[in-house]
Amino acid sequence: MLVGKGWVQGVVIVMLFSFTVMGILVYRTYTASMPVPERVTTTSGEVLFERADITHGQELFQARGLMQFGSVMGHGGYLGPDFTADYLRRATDLTLAAAKATGEQEPSAANVQDWRTNRYSADTGTLVLSDPQVAAYQELLPYYARYFGPESHDNGLMSNAITDPGEIRDLTSFFAWTAWAAAAERPGHDYSYTNNWPAEPRVDNGPTPDLMLWSVLSLAVLIGGTGVLFAVYGRWSRTIGWHSEEAPAIAFRRPGSVGLTPAQRATAWFFLVIAVLFLAQTLVGAAAEHYRADLGSFFGFNLNALLPYNLARTWHVQLSLFWTAAGFLAAGIFLTPLIAGREPKGQRLLTFGLLGALAVVVFGSLGAEALSIFGVSWAGGPLFGQQWEYLDLPRVFQVLLTVGMVLWIVIVFRGIRARLRSESLGNMPWLFFFSALSIPAFYAVGMLAATDTPLSVAEFWRFWVVHLWVEDFLELFTTVMVAYIFVMLGVVREKIALGIIFMDVILYSAGGVLGTMHHLYFSGTPVEHMALGSFFSAAEVIPLTFLTVEAWAFMQLGARQESKSSAPFPHRWAVMFLVAVGFWNFVGAGVFGFLINLPIVSYYEIGTALTANHAHAAMMGVYGMLAVGLSMFALRYLVPEEKWSDRLAGTSFWCLNIGLAWMVFATLFPLGVLQFYHAVGSGYFEARSLSFLTDHRNAILEWGRLPGDVVFIVGGVLPFLWLAVQGVLNAHKGRTVTELPQDVLFTELESASSGGR
């Protein structure tokens, strides 16, 4: 093994600690989250609705794409209201009016007492609603019937989206249950199941002492941890990071002189599909954005008859995951022969098989989601109905996607198994394989969040994928790939790359695993989820700060290596995309992420434009830029030199980054600040209302995003698409090989110094 055992021991300790604590939190999620009553009754014992009605309402909320329209308990789309806060406000207004009508001397205090009193019996599974609460429920049934029926078009949904009285009743029951949990006090405590979220004075909901305490401690962790990091970095700066050892002088081989294997040539089709899906994602994203700028029409066209907001946003989110994940899969296949030095027979056929499986999952799931949202009866079931946000693809396609990723693991393992036999478990080939193996393994965990899983439990497993899979294990895989690329280019020694990988794994996992809980502050889970989530999510910013500092050393290292090479560096723009990843990692995931993860801020801003601001800057800025950068690296070898255009690659780089910066800094961030200010000053219900979202000031900011979107799509996506087309058109040009020499991408001009390769 090329690195000391201390690195491996550090990774093992961090992982054991993190997942042991995570196991305890799993137990607490199942046993101490907000209860789902077996029945909800009136004070006289008449059954109002049952557990099956709540569950069916939850399933309808997902199947009809309402989680991509509005939200519940803060999580979901941003155009519609948060239906927990919406029901709570409307119901408490009705109960307050009833208290005043009866001559109650202190109607507001009586109303607060009515809602905060917990009448749920764990022994019988029965929740008893007071007479005013029952009356409010009955009055809100026709309100939601109008909202999702005759008025749905005006709210951004398709016309008469939901008209069945039974479905309206079940949806309302689901909303009523979440609103009850947001107001009723958790047994033994003076705050609700949702830690007093949302901010609602009608039920005396306000920030709790725990929320304030952990906000302060999170800041202390960030400041103290950053100080420790720079102290360590200052002390050992010559032995850690990209610039820790001088690399040898080399000559980069011209891309046209590098032979490619059949499977590598087959990935050209992957990169074309990736570019097409990227373009489709930006177009449906622009359509979804237009609803916020002009809810009534799309430049005079009735868009929501064909592409309602919830469908546009569903496709936008799903496509963002599809094309970036496909970029990592294709890059993994392309790198495998470079790592192994050979390619076994059948890899090309398996690669095309994986591409076909990807097509089935992508187009099949997008079609099923459309049918589910439009209410086609067979499409709304557990197999073909839309599911939770970010895991929207129906269950059958979740299974197929997992199977496809397992096929990808088979392709990778077949390619490098001969190399694995001769390597230590702590060396780079094994790290490449282990990190690849974690991708299907941790994605599959998301299938524990079924459509009928209780909300708090489902949110736990959903964010296991959204946060832990994406922000920790995909980050691990990409760190290994990027480090391996620079080893294969001769820029760094393998020993140095291994040190960087182990250090990143420790830093990311120390905060990233338990930092997952910052998504669950107000999802009905116990308070320890908020305590640990805020504490460790603050620690997540520390490695991002380190990587930002290291990005400069990374650029200097590349510049020095290029100046020493007798041949031009062929991957300038691929490296620039990797540098952009470091920038957006710090800004999007670090600064914007920490801003909304602080409990006191999240209390008011969850489900607002600040959440979207973080999501866009982190998802596109990190994983989008990375997927494009990896694609550019492979396309540089797939496209003949006479067909390659550095100008188009550079245009794509600058326009994607300028367009994203415009989107974030000119629209999403100021919109989020205004919405946050309104939530604190006027109320969360008001900040999520359609009247506020369509306010003229907000409309100006929404329209102001248009130039940035044009730059992003026309100047950023289209040149990338053109280069991908060239990759397919020229995929069979050049030498095709099955054996690759050592150091295939460069020639060393002087003898190696210390360390192996």
Side-chain angles (χ1 to χ4, degrees), residues 450-464:
T451 56
D452 60 351
T453 303
L455 179 62
S456 299
V457 176
E459 290 288 77
F460 184 95
W461 296 120
R462 181 170 77 93
F463 283 112
W464 180 290

PDB file of all heavy atoms in Angstrom, residues 450-464:
ATOM      1  N   ALA A 450     -41.295   4.199   0.435  1.00  0.00           N
ATOM      2  CA  ALA A 450     -42.404   3.862  -0.452  1.00  0.00           C
ATOM      3  C   ALA A 450     -43.485   4.947  -0.374  1.00  0.00           C
ATOM      4  O   ALA A 450     -43.466   5.806   0.516  1.00  0.00           O
ATOM      5  CB  ALA A 450     -42.990   2.505  -0.071  1.00  0.00           C
ATOM      6  N   THR A 451     -44.431   4.895  -1.294  1.00  0.00           N
ATOM      7  CA  THR A 451     -45.465   5.926  -1.317  1.00  0.00           C
ATOM      8  C   THR A 451     -46.331   5.910  -0.072  1.00  0.00           C
ATOM      9  O   THR A 451     -46.875   6.945   0.320  1.00  0.00           O
ATOM     10  CB  THR A 451     -46.367   5.750  -2.554  1.00  0.00           C
ATOM     11  OG1 THR A 451     -46.921   4.420  -2.541  1.00  0.00           O
ATOM     12  CG2 THR A 451     -45.588   5.952  -3.833  1.00  0.00           C
ATOM     13  N   ASP A 452     -46.473   4.743   0.573  1.00  0.00           N
ATOM     14  CA  ASP A 452     -47.320   4.649   1.765  1.00  0.00           C
ATOM     15  C   ASP A 452     -46.525   4.651   3.061  1.00  0.00           C
ATOM     16  O   ASP A 452     -47.092   4.462   4.136  1.00  0.00           O
ATOM     17  CB  ASP A 452     -48.191   3.390   1.699  1.00  0.00           C
ATOM     18  CG  ASP A 452     -47.355   2.102   1.611  1.00  0.00           C
ATOM     19  OD1 ASP A 452     -46.129   2.208   1.423  1.00  0.00           O
ATOM     20  OD2 ASP A 452     -47.945   1.018   1.710  1.00  0.00           O
ATOM     21  N   THR A 453     -45.210   4.877   2.994  1.00  0.00           N
ATOM     22  CA  THR A 453     -44.397   4.957   4.200  1.00  0.00           C
ATOM     23  C   THR A 453     -44.756   6.226   4.966  1.00  0.00           C
ATOM     24  O   THR A 453     -44.899   7.292   4.361  1.00  0.00           O
ATOM     25  CB  THR A 453     -42.900   4.990   3.834  1.00  0.00           C
ATOM     26  OG1 THR A 453     -42.581   3.827   3.069  1.00  0.00           O
ATOM     27  CG2 THR A 453     -42.027   5.028   5.078  1.00  0.00           C
ATOM     28  N   PRO A 454     -44.922   6.153   6.294  1.00  0.00           N
ATOM     29  CA  PRO A 454     -45.228   7.374   7.067  1.00  0.00           C
ATOM     30  C   PRO A 454     -44.257   8.498   6.743  1.00  0.00           C
ATOM     31  O   PRO A 454     -43.057   8.273   6.546  1.00  0.00           O
ATOM     32  CB  PRO A 454     -45.101   6.902   8.524  1.00  0.00           C
ATOM     33  CG  PRO A 454     -45.442   5.451   8.471  1.00  0.00           C
ATOM     34  CD  PRO A 454     -44.891   4.956   7.157  1.00  0.00           C
ATOM     35  N   LEU A 455     -44.771   9.717   6.707  1.00  0.00           N
ATOM     36  CA  LEU A 455     -44.043  10.870   6.185  1.00  0.00           C
ATOM     37  C   LEU A 455     -42.658  11.043   6.810  1.00  0.00           C
ATOM     38  O   LEU A 455     -41.662  11.201   6.094  1.00  0.00           O
ATOM     39  CB  LEU A 455     -44.878  12.131   6.398  1.00  0.00           C
ATOM     40  CG  LEU A 455     -44.257  13.454   5.930  1.00  0.00           C
ATOM     41  CD1 LEU A 455     -44.004  13.439   4.440  1.00  0.00           C
ATOM     42  CD2 LEU A 455     -45.158  14.622   6.303  1.00  0.00           C
ATOM     43  N   SER A 456     -42.557  11.021   8.117  1.00  0.00           N
ATOM     44  CA  SER A 456     -41.262  11.252   8.773  1.00  0.00           C
ATOM     45  C   SER A 456     -40.246  10.188   8.377  1.00  0.00           C
ATOM     46  O   SER A 456     -39.077  10.495   8.126  1.00  0.00           O
ATOM     47  CB  SER A 456     -41.436  11.267  10.292  1.00  0.00           C
ATOM     48  OG  SER A 456     -42.308  12.293  10.697  1.00  0.00           O
ATOM     49  N   VAL A 457     -40.683   8.941   8.338  1.00  0.00           N
ATOM     50  CA  VAL A 457     -39.791   7.837   7.972  1.00  0.00           C
ATOM     51  C   VAL A 457     -39.379   7.956   6.504  1.00  0.00           C
ATOM     52  O   VAL A 457     -38.208   7.782   6.147  1.00  0.00           O
ATOM     53  CB  VAL A 457     -40.462   6.483   8.246  1.00  0.00           C
ATOM     54  CG1 VAL A 457     -39.578   5.331   7.773  1.00  0.00           C
ATOM     55  CG2 VAL A 457     -40.783   6.341   9.726  1.00  0.00           C
ATOM     56  N   ALA A 458     -40.347   8.262   5.642  1.00  0.00           N
ATOM     57  CA  ALA A 458     -40.049   8.402   4.212  1.00  0.00           C
ATOM     58  C   ALA A 458     -39.060   9.533   3.968  1.00  0.00           C
ATOM     59  O   ALA A 458     -38.149   9.408   3.133  1.00  0.00           O
ATOM     60  CB  ALA A 458     -41.338   8.645   3.435  1.00  0.00           C
ATOM     61  N   GLU A 459     -39.214  10.641   4.694  1.00  0.00           N
ATOM     62  CA  GLU A 459     -38.297  11.761   4.526  1.00  0.00           C
ATOM     63  C   GLU A 459     -36.880  11.374   4.940  1.00  0.00           C
ATOM     64  O   GLU A 459     -35.904  11.810   4.336  1.00  0.00           O
ATOM     65  CB  GLU A 459     -38.777  12.965   5.350  1.00  0.00           C
ATOM     66  CG  GLU A 459     -40.041  13.627   4.829  1.00  0.00           C
ATOM     67  CD  GLU A 459     -39.790  14.393   3.556  1.00  0.00           C
ATOM     68  OE1 GLU A 459     -39.682  13.749   2.493  1.00  0.00           O
ATOM     69  OE2 GLU A 459     -39.698  15.625   3.612  1.00  0.00           O
ATOM     70  N   PHE A 460     -36.761  10.551   5.983  1.00  0.00           N
ATOM     71  CA  PHE A 460     -35.435  10.087   6.410  1.00  0.00           C
ATOM     72  C   PHE A 460     -34.736   9.348   5.277  1.00  0.00           C
ATOM     73  O   PHE A 460     -33.591   9.643   4.936  1.00  0.00           O
ATOM     74  CB  PHE A 460     -35.570   9.180   7.641  1.00  0.00           C
ATOM     75  CG  PHE A 460     -34.258   8.736   8.212  1.00  0.00           C
ATOM     76  CD1 PHE A 460     -33.680   9.432   9.263  1.00  0.00           C
ATOM     77  CD2 PHE A 460     -33.579   7.637   7.699  1.00  0.00           C
ATOM     78  CE1 PHE A 460     -32.460   9.031   9.799  1.00  0.00           C
ATOM     79  CE2 PHE A 460     -32.364   7.230   8.220  1.00  0.00           C
ATOM     80  CZ  PHE A 460     -31.803   7.929   9.272  1.00  0.00           C
ATOM     81  N   TRP A 461     -35.421   8.381   4.670  1.00  0.00           N
ATOM     82  CA  TRP A 461     -34.788   7.582   3.618  1.00  0.00           C
ATOM     83  C   TRP A 461     -34.669   8.365   2.318  1.00  0.00           C
ATOM     84  O   TRP A 461     -33.724   8.154   1.546  1.00  0.00           O
ATOM     85  CB  TRP A 461     -35.572   6.296   3.402  1.00  0.00           C
ATOM     86  CG  TRP A 461     -35.556   5.398   4.599  1.00  0.00           C
ATOM     87  CD1 TRP A 461     -36.624   4.953   5.317  1.00  0.00           C
ATOM     88  CD2 TRP A 461     -34.399   4.834   5.239  1.00  0.00           C
ATOM     89  NE1 TRP A 461     -36.221   4.157   6.357  1.00  0.00           N
ATOM     90  CE2 TRP A 461     -34.848   4.058   6.333  1.00  0.00           C
ATOM     91  CE3 TRP A 461     -33.030   4.900   4.993  1.00  0.00           C
ATOM     92  CZ2 TRP A 461     -33.978   3.368   7.173  1.00  0.00           C
ATOM     93  CZ3 TRP A 461     -32.162   4.215   5.825  1.00  0.00           C
ATOM     94  CH2 TRP A 461     -32.645   3.461   6.900  1.00  0.00           C
ATOM     95  N   ARG A 462     -35.598   9.271   2.067  1.00  0.00           N
ATOM     96  CA  ARG A 462     -35.493  10.092   0.853  1.00  0.00           C
ATOM     97  C   ARG A 462     -34.240  10.953   0.909  1.00  0.00           C
ATOM     98  O   ARG A 462     -33.485  11.051  -0.075  1.00  0.00           O
ATOM     99  CB  ARG A 462     -36.738  10.963   0.707  1.00  0.00           C
ATOM    100  CG  ARG A 462     -36.739  11.849  -0.536  1.00  0.00           C
ATOM    101  CD  ARG A 462     -38.098  12.479  -0.736  1.00  0.00           C
ATOM    102  NE  ARG A 462     -38.341  13.589   0.145  1.00  0.00           N
ATOM    103  CZ  ARG A 462     -38.093  14.872  -0.151  1.00  0.00           C
ATOM    104  NH1 ARG A 462     -37.565  15.176  -1.322  1.00  0.00           N
ATOM    105  NH2 ARG A 462     -38.369  15.831   0.691  1.00  0.00           N
ATOM    106  N   PHE A 463     -33.993  11.570   2.051  1.00  0.00           N
ATOM    107  CA  PHE A 463     -32.819  12.436   2.150  1.00  0.00           C
ATOM    108  C   PHE A 463     -31.534  11.643   2.329  1.00  0.00           C
ATOM    109  O   PHE A 463     -30.440  12.191   2.161  1.00  0.00           O
ATOM    110  CB  PHE A 463     -33.013  13.461   3.271  1.00  0.00           C
ATOM    111  CG  PHE A 463     -33.921  14.578   2.861  1.00  0.00           C
ATOM    112  CD1 PHE A 463     -35.169  14.741   3.433  1.00  0.00           C
ATOM    113  CD2 PHE A 463     -33.544  15.456   1.857  1.00  0.00           C
ATOM    114  CE1 PHE A 463     -36.006  15.753   3.033  1.00  0.00           C
ATOM    115  CE2 PHE A 463     -34.370  16.479   1.440  1.00  0.00           C
ATOM    116  CZ  PHE A 463     -35.616  16.633   2.034  1.00  0.00           C
ATOM    117  N   TRP A 464     -31.664  10.363   2.654  1.00  0.00           N
ATOM    118  CA  TRP A 464     -30.484   9.493   2.591  1.00  0.00           C
ATOM    119  C   TRP A 464     -29.932   9.517   1.167  1.00  0.00           C
ATOM    120  O   TRP A 464     -28.724   9.561   0.952  1.00  0.00           O
ATOM    121  CB  TRP A 464     -30.896   8.071   2.997  1.00  0.00           C
ATOM    122  CG  TRP A 464     -29.801   7.057   2.988  1.00  0.00           C
ATOM    123  CD1 TRP A 464     -29.178   6.543   1.887  1.00  0.00           C
ATOM    124  CD2 TRP A 464     -29.190   6.428   4.122  1.00  0.00           C
ATOM    125  NE1 TRP A 464     -28.231   5.613   2.269  1.00  0.00           N
ATOM    126  CE2 TRP A 464     -28.204   5.519   3.617  1.00  0.00           C
ATOM    127  CE3 TRP A 464     -29.380   6.506   5.493  1.00  0.00           C
ATOM    128  CZ2 TRP A 464     -27.430   4.727   4.455  1.00  0.00           C
ATOM    129  CZ3 TRP A 464     -28.602   5.712   6.319  1.00  0.00           C
ATOM    130  CH2 TRP A 464     -27.648   4.845   5.812  1.00  0.00           C
TER     131      TRP A 464
END
